Amino acid sequence: MEDERSVVAMMRSWGVPEETVVRVSRLWGKSAARNGGRTHVLLGHLLDTAAVAGVMWDRYLAPSLRRRLDEVSGGRGRAWFMWVCAIHDCGKACPAFQGLDAAEAVPVRAAGLAWGRVPAGKRWRHDVAGGALLVARLREEWGDEDAVGWVWPLVAGHHGAFPSVRALRPPYPDALGRGRAWAEVQRVVVDVVTRVVGFADVAAVRPVSPLRKAEQLALSGLIVMADWIASDNRSFPGLADAGGVSPAGAWRRAEVAWRGLGFRGGWGGLAVPSSALVPLSGRLGVVPRASQREVVESAWSLPVPGLLVVEAPMGEGKTKGALAAAEVLAARFGLDGVFVAMPTQATSDPMYEQVLEWVRSFDPELESQVALLHGKRRSNRRWRQIWEESRPAGAGSDSPWDDFGAIDEDDEFGWPAGTGGGDARAERSGPPVWFLGSKRGLLTPFVVGTVDHLLYAATRTRHVMLRFAGLMGKVVIVDEVHAADVYMRQFLLEALRWLGQAGVPVVLLSATLPPAQRQAFVNAYLSGAVGSADVDQPVPEPAGYPCVTAAFAVEGRPVVNSSRAVVPSWREPVPTRIEWLPDTEVDGAIVAEAARKAVAGGGVILVVVNQVDRAQAVYRGLREGGFDGVLHLLHGRLCTAHRAERTEECLRAMGPRAGDARPERMMVIATQLAEQSFDVDADLLITDLAPVDLLLQRIGRLHRHAGTRRPAVHVVPRVLVAGVAAGASGKPRFLPASEKIYELWPLLRAAALVAEVAGPLPGAGAAQATGSGTWSIPADVPGLVARAYGDEDVCPSEWDESAARAAWRATEVKRRVHAEELLLTRPREWGTVTLEGLHYGGSGAVAEEDLDAVVRDGARSVEVVIVRRVTGGYTAWDGTRLGVHGDVPDEAVEERLLGGSVRLPVRLSAEAEQLKPLPGWADHPWLRYAPALVLEDGWADLGGARVSYDDLEGLLVKRA
């Protein structure tokens, strides 16, 4: 795009009739009313978008994607990408769009382009109109129905939803324009774009082969990205005179915009490591363990991008092995970044720090290209230092980041006009804050976030293509993959199908993966890779544990390999004593007393219970009983600030680098927060019974680190299993909360497997059982998990296991079916080869909070901000003074206020709907939608409950 001639001059040089030149020049693409006061002609926006696409090709697209676009275009991938991005708004060259703004329509009509009145209720969106316009033109020029069939949805879907072919029929005769004048201007608009990007004519654009559907979805997202960037009127101010529009001018505008947004892309072309293990030993600075070597060697052995399922014990170093494998895969297959998906917000934060350090080892400047995706990222000091404190001055008066939003006359998705402050044209050295806008986070080159963001990319929701485009060209790592329940797992399986088809390498990590889930993950990825919904490729039984399963497709043929030789764990299997501590009372008095006795001679004890009320009761019993060691309570009803502080304190005192800081006597009372990705080392574990895979995860916190000093009494690892007792006829009786969370059948199976080593289950109130049976950890882990979820009965006949299993399976089927209603494709649609109709009957969810409800089953808890009413106004939870209406004077106060965010119990969700933000929060984007829990004299009434907040115990809920 080096031609300095205006598009007007170019059209004249091509012999376009003068009346058509005038008409094309008058078509508007952005109205003055919604474009910073300046009209932008249609050809100006199309050339701006082409130029942005060219810069994206040069500096952003992964080498793997550039290679694929070269393949489908016969070696002209860059020009073809610019063409398909630029042509996206060709549908604006029709009456359905040109008549939307009365003022802008006047010169268009004056040039001789006429249309009648739009019938009531017959509005036609320009993206769909563009699809209709292109179908006719491409059929004429290409003569290839298959090529036309996959290209037109890229245009028709650029506003977030892919219509069916039926939607291309104009809803009224004038919608697309009638007569020679309209047909000619539409032809010339397409011709100008085609010739500007380097093609002789439209026939030359015809692809020589198709992209696969998943690749089409990613390409569609990149078209949206180019359009949104080119729609920022600060970098692309309106040009009302087509005589001022030129290819070279558009290119200069795009260059300035790109620098102003701080974009740079990821690795680019990553060099292949000099030796097999240098990504581990050199980059990460570790002495490679056998299991880590197995992961990296598996990455070297893949002939094409594929799936690696890594199963290894807790504390084995799976994550570092996965990062090293990601470097190998990226270098070999031309990937440009990484997405690390974590099970929770709490686990994402430490992983963000780890990925930052890893990325800096490639290039210190890449630190600014690492995003953290979860709703609490503002509480992460490092993220805030890198991203928020470097945002452009003046940005965010209405919204923290959407100053860089798209602009459109008929955009029903509520995108704001680009009227925010800050000079987008000034070159920035900080992070690309454009990516912080809604739906754009995955487009950042390196991303750490909750697994939800991967699942969002598998939902039939608006702008899903943006999310999937963010995954294309990356290596995707999913940690603790077993943590997804059956509902979430359907979205994970759907994501794997699309990633497999897109050729995106995926690494799944787990310590306790049931074999059936491993098989399901492999089948899903291979279904995408070979383009079939019915792949069932048996996974060979691994030789041992740890192990790696590799799945890929070669020339349409699925291949699955598993570790063929035994891979030794970094530590020898340790006999771990398993004993009963029968107790089903919420007050946890028996647990508290057992913990007190266990730590009498010193030691660090971890207590994990299944409900917050029980954790609070155990903590209260120990504190009021005069426990004289270090005592911490950790659960999900702590406010953000307390939870972060206590997690950090626990990691410092019990983590791998604790050393002499490890206390002589310490007790941590926790809920499921301590179940996974919580790198602490306990001398003794007391835990409520949970399904076996989760029970083993908790045991993974026991004797976890080498070299930890322990009292003699705790040299042998020991687990006391509570939360269950023998009931009538010896059948287990569980805590009601445990049954509600996990259901009966998995708990029965867990109780039976524990009983095999701990002896028969005692009744409630019995003396602590002293069974001497052991599990060999980690050697027994895969066998226990396989038995827990296998088909063979493991429970005594009097426990009536078959009825519990039937009820559990019925619930699983119900949840699976519920999830399928919102998956990106339904099973019968997987075989289609284009995006046509993808969103038919799909969800209209737009906001992130709505998507949370899509990918997570069940009632949602409500997050509130704690404030206290005082004379003359309010204070934050910690006493920081607010204004009379809750006004927040500065960001420091806002930060302290947000530190008091806490989730209410699900049972109070309905009552919480009455809570509203304080009036003084209206102008604060992080607070304006946050419900305030106003405590008066320390309490608030919510329906039939009284709620308070205690600095030690967290949120307290009592019946009124």
Side-chain angles (χ1 to χ4, degrees):
M1 297 181 65
E2 298 177 355
D3 200 326
E4 293 284 358
R5 293 180 299 165
S6 73
V7 289
V8 173
M10 296 174 76
M11 287 188 284
R12 288 171 177 159
S13 72
W14 298 333
V16 177
E18 185 63 23
E19 63 179 4
T20 302
V21 171
V22 172
R23 289 166 179 163
V24 172
S25 300
R26 297 281 174 82
L27 295 173
W28 62 277
K30 306 287 182 184
S31 69
R34 301 198 63 189
N35 193 51
R38 298 177 64 173
T39 300
H40 197 28
V41 295
L42 177 58
L43 285 180
H45 177 57
L46 300 187
L47 265 62
D48 286 344
T49 310
V52 170
V55 179
M56 288 171 61
W57 176 279
D58 296 340
R59 306 179 196 173
Y60 179 78
L61 265 61
S64 58
L65 181 55
R66 294 201 302 264
R67 188 162 52 242
R68 280 293 291 135
L69 292 176
D70 271 334
E71 290 171 358
V72 303
S73 64
R76 303 192 68 180
R78 187 175 186 274
W80 198 90
F81 179 64
M82 292 170 68
W83 179 85
V84 77
C85 288
I87 210 69
H88 76 285
D89 264 353
C90 65
K92 288 184 175 179
C94 69
F97 180 84
Q98 293 296 310
L100 285 175
D101 187 292
E104 303 290 355
V106 171
V108 180
R109 286 181 179 275
L113 291 171
W115 62 87
R117 294 183 60 185
V118 177
K122 294 295 185 179
R123 191 170 166 189
W124 200 32
R125 293 180 55 81
H126 76 263
D127 49 351
V128 181
L133 190 156
L134 266 192
V135 162
R137 181 72 187 274
L138 297 184
R139 282 174 175 164
E140 172 191 338
E141 299 278 355
W142 289 359
D144 183 342
E145 197 66 33
D146 290 340
V148 175
W150 72 265
V151 171
W152 73 256
L154 300 175
V155 168
H158 82 264
H159 273 280
F162 298 100
S164 66
V165 70
R166 293 187 299 275
L168 300 187
R169 291 195 295 265
Y172 57 95
D174 258 2
L176 198 57
R178 289 188 290 182
R180 184 190 63 80
W182 275 111
E184 186 63 19
V185 297
Q186 289 163 355
R187 174 175 289 274
V188 171
V189 165
V190 174
D191 286 345
V192 168
V193 170
T194 302
R195 297 183 71 167
V196 163
V197 300
F199 290 101
D201 50 36
V202 173
V205 182
R206 182 176 68 86
V208 300
S209 61
L211 288 175
R212 305 179 83 184
K213 186 164 67 173
E215 296 168 328
Q216 296 168 31
L217 186 66
L219 175 58
S220 174
L222 294 170
I223 293 170
V224 174
M225 179 179 173
D227 178 25
W228 285 5
I229 292 172
S231 294
D232 178 14
N233 61 55
R234 291 161 303 179
S235 295
F236 299 90
L239 298 172
D241 180 1
V245 174
S246 69
W251 185 261
R252 285 191 292 269
R253 286 152 63 97
E255 287 271 13
V256 170
W258 194 263
R259 291 194 299 270
L261 291 171
F263 291 173
R264 61 151 288 164
W267 285 309
L270 187 61
V272 175
S274 58
S275 64
L277 297 179
V278 74
L280 273 171
S281 56
R283 180 82 56 201
L284 291 162
V286 300
V287 177
R289 295 169 177 170
S291 60
Q292 293 172 326
R293 287 198 300 271
E294 182 78 356
V295 176
V296 174
E297 288 168 359
S298 296
W300 281 107
S301 70
L302 287 175
V304 293
L307 171 72
L308 298 179
V309 184
V310 180
E311 298 171 69
M314 297 70 74
E316 186 76 16
K318 293 185 291 294
T319 305
K320 288 189 175 180
L323 292 177
E327 179 181 350
V328 172
L329 295 169
R332 294 185 62 220
F333 300 122
L335 289 315
D336 197 44
V338 171
F339 173 44
V340 183
M342 303 298 293
T344 63
Q345 294 178 357
T347 57
S348 297
D349 283 339
M351 182 54 61
Y352 174 65
E353 297 283 352
Q354 185 171 340
V355 171
L356 276 177
E357 183 178 354
W358 177 63
V359 165
R360 278 196 300 267
S361 71
F362 294 95
D363 180 351
E365 291 188 5
L366 285 176
E367 180 184 74
S368 66
Q369 307 294 314
V370 185
L372 176 62
L373 293 188
H374 66 65
K376 292 293 184 185
R377 65 187 177 195
R378 195 166 187 264
S379 298
N380 185 291
R381 294 189 190 95
R382 190 72 183 110
W383 177 85
R384 200 166 62 245
Q385 179 185 12
I386 294 173
W387 286 84
E388 189 170 81
E389 294 177 5
S390 63
R391 71 181 185 268
S397 58
D398 290 325
S399 173
W401 313 115
D402 276 345
D403 293 331
F404 301 94
I407 309 163
D408 249 297
E409 304 301 318
D410 58 346
D411 192 343
E412 67 188 20
F413 309 125
W415 285 97
T419 57
D423 187 358
R425 293 167 295 175
E427 186 166 354
R428 298 184 63 252
S429 59
V433 297
W434 186 90
F435 290 131
L436 296 177
S438 177
K439 309 171 186 178
R440 308 174 210 167
L442 283 175
L443 292 164
T444 317
F446 303 95
V447 183
V448 178
T450 55
V451 70
D452 303 58
H453 291 271
L454 173 61
L455 308 185
Y456 295 161
T459 59
R460 196 184 302 121
T461 49
R462 298 283 187 186
H463 291 113
V464 67
M465 68 282 288
L466 267 177
R467 303 182 193 279
F468 195 78
L471 298 172
M472 187 78 174
K474 287 184 173 67
V475 180
V476 174
I477 300 170
V478 186
D479 200 9
E480 310 283 8
V481 70
H482 58 272
D485 61 22
V486 66
Y487 180 86
M488 295 174 68
R489 203 178 305 136
Q490 304 316 303
F491 296 98
L492 179 55
L493 292 170
E494 178 74 353
L496 288 173
R497 292 185 193 99
W498 284 85
L499 293 172
Q501 189 173 81
V504 174
V506 178
V507 184
L508 305 181
L509 309 178
S510 178
T512 54
L513 189 65
Q517 288 188 32
R518 180 205 300 142
Q519 184 68 61
F521 294 148
V522 165
N523 286 345
Y525 190 89
L526 290 176
S527 291
V530 303
S532 171
D534 302 315
V535 171
D536 185 8
Q537 187 73 16
V539 176
E541 187 66 28
Y545 176 78
C547 62
V548 177
T549 298
F552 52 91
V554 177
E555 297 180 349
R557 180 176 58 87
V559 180
V560 183
N561 298 319
S562 291
S563 297
R564 298 178 181 177
V566 174
V567 179
S569 175
W570 73 276
R571 60 178 181 178
E572 292 296 321
V574 178
T576 302
R577 289 178 58 180
I578 311 295
E579 305 173 10
W580 289 118
L581 180 63
D583 170 44
T584 56
E585 298 299 321
V586 175
D587 66 14
I590 293 174
V591 170
E593 184 57 29
R596 192 189 309 277
K597 289 180 179 178
V599 81
V604 176
I605 311 300
L606 175 62
V607 178
V608 183
V609 296
N610 292 343
Q611 63 186 125
V612 173
D613 293 345
R614 182 165 158 89
Q616 290 172 326
V618 172
Y619 175 82
R620 193 179 307 124
L622 288 163
R623 183 164 54 89
E624 294 175 354
F627 176 70
D628 61 355
V630 179
L631 183 61
H632 286 301
L633 176 63
L634 191 58
H635 58 71
R637 283 190 226 153
L638 292 171
C639 71
T640 300
H642 282 153
R643 182 167 159 180
E645 289 168 3
R646 293 184 198 175
T647 300
E648 191 173 328
E649 289 171 3
C650 290
L651 291 172
R652 185 167 52 247
M654 303 169 63
R657 298 182 180 89
D660 293 338
R662 187 177 176 89
E664 294 294 329
R665 287 157 52 84
M666 179 176 179
M667 195 104 59
V668 177
I669 316 300
T671 55
Q672 290 91 335
L673 292 181
E675 195 167 82
Q676 57 194 7
S677 297
F678 187 52
D679 194 8
V680 297
D681 184 338
D683 297 324
L684 171 75
L685 172 68
I686 302 176
T687 174
D688 280 346
L689 186 74
V692 163
D693 52 331
L694 304 182
L695 186 63
L696 290 166
Q697 286 287 340
R698 297 177 187 185
I699 293 173
R701 315 305 122 192
L702 182 64
H703 287 226
R704 182 181 178 91
H705 302 139
T708 302
R709 56 179 176 83
R710 310 182 196 280
V713 69
H714 296 305
V715 169
V716 176
R718 191 161 62 107
V719 180
L720 304 183
V721 181
V724 59
S729 304
K731 185 176 180 178
R733 179 163 53 87
F734 305 105
L735 284 163
S738 298
E739 274 198 55
K740 184 176 181 180
I741 296 168
Y742 301 119
E743 297 195 56
L744 180 59
W745 182 67
L747 291 173
L748 287 174
R749 303 277 286 193
L753 292 172
V754 171
E756 289 180 355
V757 293
L761 182 61
Q768 180 178 320
T770 56
S772 59
T774 63
W775 283 342
S776 180
I777 303 296
D780 287 345
V781 168
L784 287 167
V785 173
R787 292 184 64 200
Y789 291 96
D791 294 327
E792 295 182 7
D793 289 343
V794 298
C795 301
S797 57
E798 60 269 22
W799 290 12
D800 198 13
E801 179 187 356
S802 59
R805 179 193 283 116
W808 179 77
R809 286 182 173 168
T811 301
E812 296 277 286
V813 169
K814 183 179 179 180
R815 297 181 70 197
R816 187 181 299 117
V817 170
H818 181 207
E820 287 174 354
E821 297 170 1
L822 297 165
L823 294 180
L824 186 48
T825 52
R826 290 164 286 196
R828 64 181 179 276
E829 297 170 343
W830 182 246
T832 61
V833 295
T834 79
L835 298 172
E836 185 263 327
L838 184 68
H839 280 84
Y840 176 75
S843 168
V846 176
E848 299 291 322
E849 54 268 25
D850 294 333
L851 277 170
D852 290 343
V854 170
V855 301
R856 290 184 180 267
D857 200 12
R860 296 172 59 213
S861 61
V862 175
E863 186 173 59
V864 298
V865 176
I866 300 168
V867 295
R868 304 183 191 276
R869 192 187 297 276
V870 296
T871 303
Y874 302 89
T875 70
W877 62 282
D878 64 349
T880 301
R881 187 77 188 200
L882 308 177
V884 65
H885 300 297
D887 310 83
V888 182
D890 54 46
E891 288 194 5
V893 173
E894 183 181 47
E895 183 181 339
R896 296 182 73 84
L897 187 59
L898 288 168
S901 302
V902 67
R903 287 204 171 271
L904 297 175
V906 171
R907 64 180 182 273
L908 295 180
S909 295
E911 290 82 354
E913 291 180 4
Q914 66 185 271
L915 302 177
K916 305 296 181 186
L918 294 182
W921 297 355
D923 294 329
H924 292 269
W926 295 96
L927 290 168
R928 61 166 48 162
Y929 303 116
L933 179 67
V934 181
L935 304 180
E936 299 192 45
D937 296 325
W939 293 89
D941 291 321
L942 277 181
R946 299 202 75 206
V947 181
S948 182
Y949 190 85
D950 181 85
D951 286 347
L952 294 175
E953 295 187 25
L955 195 75
L956 301 176
V957 181
K958 298 182 179 180
R959 295 188 181 278

